[in-house]
Amino acid sequence: MPADSAGQAVLSETMKTPFNSFWMAGFECSDQLNASGDRVDLLALTGHLELIDADYARIGSLGIKTVREGIRWSVVEFKPYHYDFTDVLRMLNAGKACNVQQIWDICHFGFPDDLSPLHPHFTPRFVSLCKAFVAFYTEHFPDEIFYITPINEVSFISWLGGEVGGTVPYCQKNGWHVKYALMKAYIAAAKAMKQASENVRILTTEPLVNMVPPLDPTLDDMLAASLENEQQFQSVDMLCGTICPELGGSTDLVDVLGFNYYYNNQWIIGTYEFLGWNDPVADPRWKPLADLLETAWLRYKKPFLISETSHPKEDRPLWIRMISAQCAELINRGAPLLGVCIYPVIDRPDWDNTEVWHQSGLWDTNYPDKLARLPHSASIAAVLLGQQLIASALKASEARMSVIPAGGLPSLLA
């Protein structure tokens, strides 16, 4: 039995995890318009749709049995309120054949050509799409619980499209209005999907960041950093109904929290200078990932996972080892961490320059041969070591929980 499978058995007993494996794989599925206004379909560019069975076999060799996928709104809704789920059905069938659990993004960056978040038809069109997907899924798998992310990284896409004009709706300094519009659609869709099927579960996937003041900060610097850190939670706060209650958010719309974390998620306000995560002498303003995640978890008291993480090029193995250590630390603290997703697991091109590939997966391509799958051996070895570390932490957690009297701890997923 792979180390991950052993660890998963422990997690199933202690946390009643809904996922098939602690370690997960994410496949790029953005279909957004880039900064130049060109449609970039990463599912096609990476060759995953063509190689999905082989890709699932690759991750399966590492004991990974849960993945993040996306339906691509601009492809599925080929004209308003008309849907073609042909590609999605192929992906669903591949998951079933390979015993891979799929978490589905409805909108992972990208809208139909005639829509933007600020369009008055955006919410009804998105709700209709989500309801159509739920009906389609339940037609094929009527008894299965399935996890859906309505809109991926609302905080990021509202900044990219609303503040710096990097994608639709190509706004400047209008991020709040874009975020509000996205969350209006998100909440309405989450409600509609949960009403349509009791098997729907909602997973959020928002960036987790740490914004710090400059060295020797003034009081204004510290207040500004504190405010910017607080703003990272606005999207989930809206979903939970703690802010903007007129949108109809509530805590029962959230089943699992997902936090996306990359090497450049900690920076100095104003300058956007990144804090080094592996410096010989750590910056005193740097915060360990376990601390950031624990703070976010305590805010919402929901089970959670690291829904995206990766690092480009040669530091990939070091990053994976750091992530593994931080996951083990969280498990040791008793936090309900349900998994970590390597995203992307297959290399991806840059949105704005598709001839540049990030080299951030466990398998690289050999551009322009998008169908090549070149294993990054050091990163794969780091994942295998990480699985052993997590399995040990989960076994220790099981031992601790075994001494708690019956009824002494509520179910983490109750």
Side-chain angles (χ1 to χ4, degrees):
M1 178 182 291
D4 185 66
S5 299
Q8 189 63 24
V10 175
L11 189 65
S12 297
E13 293 179 15
T14 59
M15 292 188 179
K16 298 182 180 179
T17 178
F19 301 115
N20 287 358
S21 61
F22 184 91
W23 289 81
M24 306 177 185
F27 294 93
E28 278 288 5
C29 53
S30 171
D31 58 331
Q32 71 177 22
L33 298 179
N34 66 12
S36 300
D38 298 322
R39 179 74 65 183
V40 179
D41 183 345
L42 292 184
L43 191 64
L45 285 174
T46 60
H48 176 54
L49 191 58
E50 298 165 76
L51 297 180
I52 187 167
D53 295 289
D55 284 344
Y56 283 175
R58 287 183 184 91
I59 64 169
S61 70
L62 302 181
I64 297 175
K65 289 295 183 180
T66 300
V67 300
R68 286 187 63 196
E69 297 277 16
I71 72 168
R72 298 178 298 165
W73 187 358
S74 70
V75 174
V76 167
E77 190 176 10
F78 59 94
K79 67 178 182 179
Y81 299 104
H82 291 78
Y83 312 107
D84 181 357
F85 288 104
T86 300
D87 287 344
V88 180
L89 180 59
R90 180 183 173 190
M91 297 168 75
L92 281 170
N93 287 335
K96 195 54 76 172
C98 299
N99 192 30
V100 169
Q101 178 188 27
Q102 296 160 320
I103 300 168
W104 288 98
D105 285 6
I106 304 299
C107 177
H108 189 114
F109 309 152
F111 323 113
D113 288 339
D114 63 331
L115 276 185
S116 89
L118 301 180
H119 195 289
H121 292 171
F122 187 84
T123 291
R125 288 268 294 276
F126 185 64
V127 170
S128 179
L129 171 72
C130 291
K131 291 169 67 177
F133 174 73
V134 169
F136 167 80
Y137 192 98
T138 53
E139 176 187 355
H140 292 278
F141 306 113
D143 300 320
E144 288 191 4
I145 289 175
F146 56 111
Y147 279 78
I148 295 175
T149 297
I151 301 175
N152 178 63
E153 284 197 327
V154 171
S155 299
F156 173 76
I157 203 64
S158 59
W159 170 81
L160 185 66
E163 288 289 330
V164 298
T167 189
V168 176
Y170 297 106
C171 293
Q172 300 282 342
K173 299 181 179 180
N174 199 30
W176 168 255
H177 290 97
V178 174
K179 183 183 293 183
Y180 189 92
L182 288 168
M183 288 311 302
K184 177 183 178 182
Y186 194 124
I187 290 167
K191 285 185 169 182
M193 289 189 289
K194 282 180 170 279
Q195 289 170 0
S197 172
E198 63 182 9
N199 291 331
V200 168
R201 302 291 184 269
I202 299 298
L203 165 69
T204 65
T205 55
E206 288 296 310
L208 183 68
V209 299
N210 176 37
M211 290 163 281
V212 303
L215 293 173
D216 301 319
T218 65
L219 179 59
D220 286 345
D221 290 333
M222 291 188 286
L223 289 173
S226 178
L227 176 61
E228 291 193 27
N229 271 299
E230 180 66 16
Q231 288 172 347
Q232 72 177 294
F233 299 113
Q234 285 177 336
S235 298
V236 179
D237 284 352
M238 288 185 205
L239 184 59
C240 291
T242 53
I243 63 173
C244 304
E246 70 277 7
L247 294 179
S250 62
T251 56
D252 60 357
L253 293 178
V254 184
D255 295 290
V256 176
L257 297 162
F259 298 104
N260 298 351
Y261 186 76
Y262 293 95
Y263 71 96
N264 53 1
N265 277 35
Q266 299 196 41
W267 67 85
I268 303 169
I269 61 168
T271 67
Y272 297 104
E273 178 185 348
F274 301 132
L275 299 182
W277 65 274
N278 196 35
D279 292 344
V281 179
D283 190 302
R285 296 165 295 181
W286 171 267
K287 289 188 178 180
L289 175 58
D291 292 350
L292 295 177
L293 283 167
E294 186 173 40
T295 297
W297 163 55
L298 291 173
R299 185 184 184 99
Y300 299 107
K301 298 293 182 64
K302 297 275 187 176
F304 66 98
L305 55 84
I306 301 172
S307 41
E308 291 184 18
T309 194
S310 66
H311 197 291
K313 300 186 177 179
E314 65 272 5
D315 283 340
R316 279 178 274 183
L318 294 175
W319 181 261
I320 292 169
R321 289 201 288 270
M322 182 276 290
I323 292 293
S324 301
Q326 293 296 295
C327 288
E329 172 64 20
L330 280 163
I331 293 167
N332 290 335
R333 295 181 189 181
L337 176 65
L338 300 181
V340 55
C341 181
I342 303 295
Y343 200 105
V345 71
I346 304 294
D347 195 20
R348 63 178 167 217
D350 189 81
W351 287 327
D352 296 320
N353 184 354
T354 55
E355 294 185 358
V356 174
W357 289 67
H358 290 177
Q359 295 180 301
S360 56
L362 299 184
W363 285 270
D364 290 331
T365 62
N366 187 20
Y367 179 80
D369 180 9
K370 68 178 182 180
L371 301 183
R373 296 291 190 260
L374 308 177
H376 193 256
S377 300
S379 293
I380 291 172
V383 168
L384 295 173
L385 287 172
Q387 290 176 346
Q388 295 176 20
L389 181 64
I390 298 302
S392 295
L394 292 170
K395 288 177 182 177
S397 175
E398 179 189 34
R400 289 193 298 272
M401 293 190 72
S402 68
V403 301
I404 297 174
L409 263 183
S411 169
L412 293 169
L413 293 177

